[in-house]
Amino acid sequence: MAGDDESYVYDEATGEWLPPGQATAAAAPGRAEARDSAGNVLADGDSVTLIKDLKVKGANQTLKQGTVIRSIRLTDDPEEIDCRHDTIKGLVLRTEFVRKR
């Protein structure tokens, strides 16, 4: 049965050994998948489009619907992404307001 033991995957989040059918293949272990408003999986470096106008706190600026944000970075929170815009640096967006391009 040594061959069967090799197919189990250790899940660090729960501390359990999972059979191959229950193991979730994530790009980064320990990090939950970030999904956009349509349910598409987001990854570092993806480009996204805003699905609604967003007022940016602290910048007194509104990002319009359809604005393209390039080269996103995932955070520890699967509901937030780090990104840059031409006029705003250090921008954090909620994934519910973006759609993958």
Side-chain angles (χ1 to χ4, degrees):
M1 289 239 184
D4 292 336
D5 291 338
E6 293 176 13
S7 63
Y8 279 76
V9 177
Y10 183 71
D11 184 7
E12 293 181 12
T14 62
E16 299 177 358
W17 286 94
L18 302 174
Q22 292 180 352
T24 57
R31 181 184 285 179
E33 288 183 336
R35 295 185 176 267
D36 68 359
S37 61
N40 299 317
V41 177
L42 297 172
D44 285 340
D46 283 347
S47 294
V48 295
T49 305
L50 297 180
I51 62 168
K52 67 179 274 185
D53 292 352
L54 298 175
K55 292 182 182 177
V56 180
K57 293 180 181 178
N60 295 330
Q61 185 177 2
T62 301
L63 293 175
K64 299 291 183 183
Q65 178 180 353
T67 301
V68 176
I69 306 291
R70 292 182 174 80
S71 298
I72 66 168
R73 286 177 291 149
L74 301 180
T75 63
D76 291 333
D77 185 353
E79 295 180 1
E80 295 180 348
I81 55 172
D82 280 333
C83 49
R84 287 188 186 176
H85 186 261
D86 295 337
T87 58
I88 305 168
K89 296 195 181 354
L91 181 64
V92 176
L93 293 175
R94 304 271 307 171
T95 56
E96 63 191 281
F97 301 122
V98 298
R99 183 182 69 231
K100 187 175 180 177
R101 288 186 54 114

